[in-house]
Amino acid sequence: MTLNFIRYFLALLILVFLSLETQASSSINSLRIWPAPDHTRLVFDLSGPVQHKVFSLENPKRLVIDIGRVRLNTQLDTSDLTNTPISRVRSAVRNKTDLRVVLDLSQEVQPRSFLLRPNEQYGHRLVVDLVLEEKQKQAAKKPKTVKQQRQIVIAIDPGHGGEDPGAIGPGGTREKHVVWGIAKELARIIERDPAFKPVMTRTGDYYIGLRKRVDVARKARADLFVSVHADAYRLPQPQGSSVYVLSQRGASSESARWLADTENRADLIGGVEGVLTLGDKDETLAGVLVDLSMTATLSESLKVGSRVLKNLGQVNRLHKRDVEQAGFLVLKSPDMPSMLIEAGFISNPQEERRLKDLAYQRKLAQQIASAIKDYFRENPPPNTSLSAKASHSSSAYTIRRGDTLSEIARRKGVDIGELRKMNDLNNDVIRVGQRLRIPST
């Protein structure tokens, strides 16, 4: 009797142990691959947290991803590998509970990996980034050239992308697709004017961190940063277009604060760890949050933002009549005017239908481009073809509200001392409506 009890007890322990083993293991439910110009991101969607290890093998080039105590509930070898350094994906079970995934590679990569906890969009995820070393070296060797009469550079930032779909409308429309259409059309219109040059922060459907977007614009020496989004709210009623610029003193309204918090959480959805592990560590940007020299930049942001908002009102109703301000992380650059455009509320069923219409996207892009070009024709940056035309066509300027003598000197590309001397000014005090003579550049 005692022996039978012992056998029963041992069998029960084994069953409990096997049950705990089954409960503790996670599963891989899908694999998503996002190719970008400088890296490729692999996202394993998991049912729970896992332990993992990544290492490289040579002859031939391979990357091995060992994932502990996990079941495979999908097919990895059917993934689309177009425009990636991966030629094949293989997998096999190890030790009955672990999984080994092998990536056959066509070129050298620098792997980075991390785990992401669940959020409102996704569950547990294992992210593996393959950084393309060859493109990094080419970028480092590329010489920088500065033309005497350069084009005006407009950085166009299509919000979200890849792992981060942005807001999703009641009809299933994804914000990342809407803003990509508007941004692409905006770039096409701007590029037709030889005085301007558009630069896209992302060139396809892949994730890019908020600080990286600003970094792309700054490396291109952009004269203006335009981030394009489609608004969303908890209720379906709100509608209309909006324009936002940075605020250093708090949001201009509760809705502006809520929107900024929502947009700033994009790094949590796309994986802020990915930004850090890709080597995006710009010390200048780290100081942006406390930079106190942004007064002139914010002033120009408000001016060009007001023009854009007015033009948007010719296509769509406006959610707010004035440019709003909030602490958007993507707008925190001290050296270029920046604005964030909410083309409309994708959470509103009627506006969602308009936003996904290509003809409507084109109308929005045309109005935005027109406002931007009008602003720069009146305020051409120094050493640009527009500033050269302005210096030959006019030698006078009428003071407008918000102008300062130092701003005017900077915009016209002249020395402030020469500007004072030509206009018999003993100090920098000027008044609205006053006409200034501008020294020849």
Side-chain angles (χ1 to χ4, degrees):
M1 186 72 177
T2 304
L3 183 60
N4 289 337
F5 177 78
I6 292 173
R7 287 174 177 170
Y8 175 79
F9 183 73
L10 288 174
L12 184 62
L13 282 177
I14 291 171
L15 287 173
V16 170
F17 178 76
L18 290 174
S19 175
L20 289 174
E21 283 284 302
T22 303
Q23 290 177 5
S25 64
S26 299
S27 61
I28 298 176
N29 298 321
S30 66
L31 170 63
R32 291 173 289 125
I33 300 179
W34 305 100
D38 59 350
H39 72 282
T40 291
R41 170 165 290 190
L42 288 80
V43 182
F44 295 88
D45 289 303
L46 309 168
S47 63
V50 296
Q51 297 290 327
H52 78 285
K53 182 172 65 173
V54 176
F55 59 93
S56 299
L57 295 174
E58 295 294 332
N59 300 319
K61 297 182 181 68
R62 288 155 291 162
L63 185 73
V64 179
I65 307 168
D66 281 340
I67 308 174
R69 297 171 59 78
V70 71
R71 299 185 306 276
L72 184 61
N73 287 348
T74 186
Q75 287 185 296
L76 302 181
D77 56 2
T78 59
S79 302
D80 184 2
L81 305 178
T82 307
N83 297 324
T84 75
I86 308 168
S87 56
R88 186 171 59 154
V89 180
R90 298 178 282 134
S91 63
V93 177
R94 300 177 68 247
N95 306 324
K96 296 184 180 180
T97 60
D98 302 341
L99 182 72
R100 169 163 287 184
V101 179
V102 179
L103 309 179
D104 294 335
L105 302 173
S106 59
Q107 65 183 97
E108 292 283 352
V109 299
Q110 179 65 43
R112 301 284 188 269
S113 65
F114 53 91
L115 293 168
L116 288 176
R117 293 186 294 273
N119 56 39
E120 58 270 19
Q121 295 283 354
Y122 302 104
H124 289 275
R125 286 159 291 162
L126 167 61
V127 179
V128 180
D129 283 334
L130 311 180
V131 183
L132 306 182
E133 292 185 331
E134 197 171 297
K135 291 198 173 185
Q136 287 182 335
K137 291 174 184 176
Q138 289 174 357
K141 291 179 181 179
K142 188 176 179 180
K144 293 183 179 179
T145 57
V146 179
K147 297 179 181 179
Q148 286 298 318
Q149 287 189 6
R150 62 179 183 84
Q151 293 173 295
I152 296 173
V153 179
I154 309 299
I156 303 171
D157 173 46
H160 309 282
E163 177 77 353
D164 174 19
I168 300 176
T173 306
R174 298 191 167 203
E175 180 181 0
K176 68 173 184 177
H177 295 147
V178 169
V179 300
W180 174 252
I182 297 171
K184 191 165 60 172
E185 182 65 20
L186 177 59
R188 190 182 67 82
I189 296 170
I190 288 177
E191 194 170 30
R192 290 204 301 256
D193 191 323
F196 293 85
K197 175 186 175 182
V199 172
M200 300 281 276
T201 59
R202 64 177 176 92
T203 56
D205 186 13
Y206 53 85
Y207 173 75
I208 178 172
L210 299 178
R211 289 178 177 85
K212 182 69 174 178
R213 296 169 188 265
V214 179
D215 196 34
V216 169
R218 294 180 70 246
K219 285 180 179 177
R221 300 175 180 268
D223 297 284
L224 177 68
F225 180 87
V226 183
S227 191
V228 184
H229 291 256
D231 214 338
Y233 197 62
R234 295 182 290 262
L235 301 174
Q237 289 82 10
Q239 58 181 304
S241 301
S242 307
V243 174
Y244 295 83
V245 300
L246 180 66
S247 171
Q248 294 178 294
R249 300 182 179 180
S252 56
S253 70
E254 186 61 36
S255 60
R257 182 182 298 107
W258 181 85
L259 178 63
D261 291 342
T262 301
E263 297 296 356
N264 290 346
R265 284 199 298 270
D267 275 344
L268 300 180
I269 298 173
V272 70
E273 290 94 338
V275 180
L276 298 176
T277 54
L278 282 173
D280 183 20
K281 299 176 182 178
D282 191 323
E283 293 181 3
T284 303
L285 284 176
V288 168
L289 300 178
V290 292
D291 195 290
L292 302 178
S293 63
M294 297 182 67
T295 305
T297 302
L298 288 175
S299 175
E300 297 305 309
S301 300
L302 283 166
K303 289 177 184 177
V304 65
S306 296
R307 286 177 176 266
V308 170
L309 185 65
K310 181 180 178 181
N311 276 26
L312 287 174
Q314 299 180 32
V315 179
N316 190 22
R317 66 175 294 176
L318 299 180
H319 182 60
K320 296 280 186 174
R321 296 181 62 184
D322 298 314
V323 175
E324 292 208 79
Q325 294 182 256
F328 291 94
L329 181 61
V330 78
L331 301 182
K332 292 184 175 180
S333 179
D335 50 2
M336 62 184 166
S338 306
M339 64 177 162
L340 186 145
I341 298 171
E342 295 287 354
F345 278 81
I346 201 171
S347 51
N348 180 285
Q350 292 79 26
E351 202 148 57
E352 178 192 16
R353 285 194 292 270
R354 290 198 300 271
L355 285 170
K356 67 180 183 180
D357 180 69
L358 296 179
Y360 185 72
Q361 293 176 7
R362 190 172 299 113
K363 288 180 182 178
L364 291 171
Q366 287 170 342
Q367 291 299 330
I368 296 169
S370 177
I372 290 172
K373 290 195 286 186
D374 286 347
Y375 166 80
F376 279 110
R377 286 191 185 101
E378 291 188 17
N379 306 276
N383 302 322
T384 60
S385 56
L386 283 186
S387 65
K389 290 179 182 177
S391 64
H392 286 95
S393 61
S394 176
S395 60
Y397 177 79
T398 303
I399 306 299
R400 298 193 300 269
R401 187 177 299 279
D403 280 338
T404 65
L405 200 65
S406 59
E407 280 184 53
I408 296 169
R410 178 181 61 81
R411 292 201 303 261
K412 299 298 183 181
V414 299
D415 180 73
I416 191 170
E418 289 294 321
L419 190 58
R420 292 194 200 99
K421 183 178 179 181
M422 177 164 281
N423 291 277
D424 297 324
L425 298 176
N426 297 322
N427 50 45
D428 292 353
V429 177
I430 54 177
R431 66 180 187 279
V432 176
Q434 179 182 355
R435 286 181 63 82
L436 295 179
R437 289 185 298 160
I438 308 298
S440 172
T441 58

